[in-house]
Amino acid sequence: MTEKELVVLAKEAMEYAYSPYSKFKVGAAVLAKDGRVFTGCNVENASYGATNCAERTAIFKAVSEGYREFEAIAVVASSGDYASPCGICRQVLAEFMPDGKVILDSEEKGMVTYLVRELLPCGFSSKDIK
Ligand code: THU
């Protein structure tokens, strides 16, 4: 699975976004260490705080099916610009893919890649629970 292929799957997932409030669609595709891919979209709610981001939808789908280790996640948004993962999603990425890559794609600017550890330096983790 190439980074570009993962981006294509994230774009397909974005079409399922439920975002009547923000009108901002996000799609994600996460690559498990054994090569399996799980996709997700943002799912909003009239009680805004109940909204789930696309990244967490994809990861929670995977974890709920027994997958816990991931190599990379691609994220795309309907704005045509990059959608960088929010703070809560960064925390979830750090839990399940601390050495993983985050691939962002923008129609206008192309693809960029970050490491999860670059996006959440000094994050809280299981090591801090003693
Ligand atoms: N959103 C995501 O799904 N992922 C991100 O990385 C940033 C934000 C969603 C949440 C909400 O449905 C909408 O984008 C606007 O914040």
Side-chain angles (χ1 to χ4, degrees):
M1 171 72 45
T2 66
E3 293 183 355
K4 271 195 175 166
E5 285 169 335
L6 207 57
V7 165
V8 169
L9 293 174
K11 281 183 182 164
E12 285 173 15
M14 183 177 78
E15 294 309 316
Y16 297 114
Y18 176 70
S19 52
Y21 306 105
S22 72
K23 318 271 189 224
F24 185 71
K25 294 181 174 200
V26 186
V30 67
L31 176 65
K33 284 206 168 148
D34 75 346
R36 189 155 161 196
V37 175
F38 292 84
T39 60
C41 61
N42 52 332
V43 183
E44 298 188 345
N45 194 282
S47 175
Y48 296 174
T51 291
N52 208 60
C53 291
E55 298 92 319
R56 277 176 288 139
T57 302
I59 290 176
F60 292 163
K61 275 172 67 180
V63 172
S64 67
E65 292 190 30
Y67 290 77
R68 294 183 178 177
E69 291 184 317
F70 309 103
E71 282 179 13
I73 187 167
V75 187
V76 299
S78 56
S79 61
D81 205 344
Y82 299 121
S84 189
C86 77
I88 297 173
C89 287
R90 289 176 195 214
Q91 187 69 33
V92 171
L93 296 176
E95 182 79 22
F96 295 107
M97 46 188 292
D99 300 317
K101 274 198 272 186
V102 177
I103 303 152
L104 305 179
D105 188 64
S106 150
E107 294 288 331
E108 297 142 25
K109 301 173 190 161
M111 224 163 65
V112 287
T113 303
Y114 297 96
L115 294 173
V116 169
R117 74 174 84 90
E118 291 176 312
L119 297 181
L120 190 66
C122 301
F124 184 80
S125 77
S126 58
K127 291 190 208 85
D128 297 302
I129 301 174
K130 290 177 185 138

